[in-house]
């Protein structure tokens, strides 16, 4: 067979994998309700199998159960599914449409420095590296040393991509245009705000424990404007918890805010205790989120 088709070992004839990736990119962005030509190109050009180890792979289906792919054909990875990185821990390569929505919200531009907290094995870090372009760079931070080593190997062919092993709230990094937190915290780490450039964007998932359902919460986009921080709700989430980003008092305060509702009306983050006149959504003690 010639042209864009190839003959498989099983005798079937299918589109070349590059065509499968392009279809995947379109389906993912359609599911995310996002129109973003740069992100579509990044999704179509990035090899997801490179970041997930040898197949067969375990895909998460409805009800939270894993189903193993019939074999190691990478075509199975080009669907809008979570793929297990460590099934025993319930640790997955996140859902493409959900992460694509958040990446789109971050507005990564050519030349940006992006810091990805919770880089995992590096797939979404690679997408962000593509968006930052040849003059940009990405710093991945991963608290699990084994995953950090895997991500560093997987990203070795991406110039300008660096992986650091450590706690994303404590690890030092250069000033960033985007800080993308890929795990649920109860408050922003000071470094995520301190090292955000003026006009920089922080993708911040805030979550509480939800019993048997794991964590639940919301993702906020925080934008620095000089010494002030705008904030807006982007999406609900049930993201994996951020190790080092949890503490009981913050958990309780956040749970109270979610129980009251109204998180979609958040407009600002303040690095101070609430004061009289604030239209308060979350009282974080020494910080707060306000509405209107």
């Amino acid at each position: 067979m010639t042209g864009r088709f190839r003959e498989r070992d099983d005798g079937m004839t299918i589109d070349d994998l590059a065509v499968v990736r392009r279809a995947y990119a379109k389906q993912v962005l359609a599911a995310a309700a996002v129109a973003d030509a740069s992100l579509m190109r990044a999704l179509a050009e990035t090899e997801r199998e490179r970041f997930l180890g040898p197949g067969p792979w375990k895909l998460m289906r409805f009800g939270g159960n894993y189903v193993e792919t019939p074999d190691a054909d990478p075509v199975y990875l080009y669907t809008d599914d979570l793929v297990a990185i460590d099934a025993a821990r319930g640790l997955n390569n996140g859902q493409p449409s959900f992460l694509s929505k958040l990446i789109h919200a971050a507005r990564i531009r050519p030349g940006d420095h992006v810091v990805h907290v919770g880089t995992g094995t590096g797939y979404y870090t690679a997408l962000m590296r593509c968006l930052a372009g040849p003059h940009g760079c990405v710093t991945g931070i991963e608290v699990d040393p084994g995953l950090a080593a895997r991500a560093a190997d997987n990203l070795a062919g991406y110039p300008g991509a660096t992986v650091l092993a450590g706690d994303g709230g404590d690890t030092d990094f250069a000033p960033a245009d985007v800080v993308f937190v890929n795990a649920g915290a109860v408050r922003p780490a000071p470094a995520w705000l301190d090292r955000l450039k003026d006009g920089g964007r922080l993708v911040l998932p805030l979550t509480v424990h939800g019993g048997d359902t794991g964590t639940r919460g919301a993702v906020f986009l925080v934008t620095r404007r000089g010494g002030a921080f705008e904030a807006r709700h982007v999406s609900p989430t049930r993201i994996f918890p951020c190790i080092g980003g949890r503490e009981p008092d913050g958990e309780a305060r956040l749970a109270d805010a979610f129980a009251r509702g109204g998180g979609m009306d958040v407009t600002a983050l303040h690095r101070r205790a609430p004061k009289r006149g604030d239209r308060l959504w979350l009282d974080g003690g020494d910080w707060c989120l306000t509405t209107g």
Side-chain angles (χ1 to χ4, degrees):
M1 198 74 178
T2 60
R4 66 176 186 174
F5 297 95
R6 62 184 173 89
E7 193 76 21
R8 291 165 51 111
D9 292 339
D10 59 13
M12 295 177 63
T13 301
I14 65 165
D15 287 331
D16 182 87
L17 193 55
V19 178
V20 174
R21 290 193 187 102
R22 288 197 291 272
Y24 158 81
K26 288 188 175 184
Q27 292 290 346
V28 164
L29 293 190
V34 162
D36 187 327
S38 296
L39 182 52
M40 182 174 291
R41 184 165 54 252
L43 285 162
E45 294 176 356
T46 303
E47 300 173 350
R48 197 179 186 194
E49 63 272 20
R50 174 176 181 156
F51 300 89
L52 292 172
W57 302 276
K58 296 181 184 296
L59 277 59
M60 183 169 283
R61 299 302 192 192
F62 294 110
N65 297 315
Y66 289 111
V67 175
E68 188 168 284
T69 61
D71 52 50
D73 189 334
V75 72
Y76 297 117
L77 299 177
Y78 292 99
T79 59
D80 191 24
D81 290 303
L82 290 86
V83 181
I85 294 173
D86 185 339
R89 294 165 58 192
L91 182 62
N92 304 303
N93 183 252
Q95 186 176 31
S97 60
F98 171 67
L99 272 298
S100 292
K101 179 175 182 177
L102 302 188
I103 291 171
H104 173 73
R107 305 188 312 278
I108 298 169
R109 308 178 181 109
D112 277 354
H113 174 212
V114 183
V115 174
H116 184 192
V117 177
T119 195
T121 58
Y123 174 64
Y124 295 100
T125 315
L127 294 179
M128 294 185 225
R129 178 67 194 90
C130 292
L131 294 173
H135 302 294
C137 59
V138 176
T139 302
I141 304 175
E142 176 54 52
V143 70
D144 184 310
L147 293 181
R150 286 180 62 184
D153 287 344
N154 294 338
L155 291 164
Y158 287 78
T162 303
V163 178
L164 305 176
D167 186 324
D170 294 331
T171 302
D172 191 29
F173 56 84
D177 299 282
V178 174
V179 177
F180 190 102
V181 181
N182 213 151
V186 296
R187 60 178 298 142
W192 301 343
L193 300 172
D194 290 342
R195 294 172 190 146
L196 201 62
K197 297 179 184 178
D198 192 13
R201 288 82 64 201
L202 166 65
V203 175
L204 177 65
L206 295 176
T207 62
V208 296
H209 289 293
D212 293 339
T213 62
T215 58
R216 59 182 175 84
V219 182
F220 296 89
L221 179 71
V222 178
T223 303
R224 183 168 196 159
R225 305 294 185 195
F229 296 88
E230 299 172 356
R232 69 174 178 87
H233 180 279
V234 177
S235 174
T237 186
R238 292 186 181 275
I239 203 165
F240 199 81
C242 182
I243 298 173
R246 318 293 309 179
E247 49 91 13
D249 182 63
E251 180 100 23
R253 291 172 182 269
L254 188 56
D256 286 344
F258 281 128
R260 290 194 305 274
M264 295 185 70
D265 299 324
V266 165
T267 59
L269 181 152
H270 305 278
R271 303 185 74 180
R272 58 163 173 77
K275 62 183 183 182
R276 187 183 298 274
D278 281 341
R279 298 180 64 178
L280 195 64
W281 179 70
L282 170 65
D283 176 358
D286 60 353
W287 72 289
C288 60
L289 289 170
T290 60
T291 67

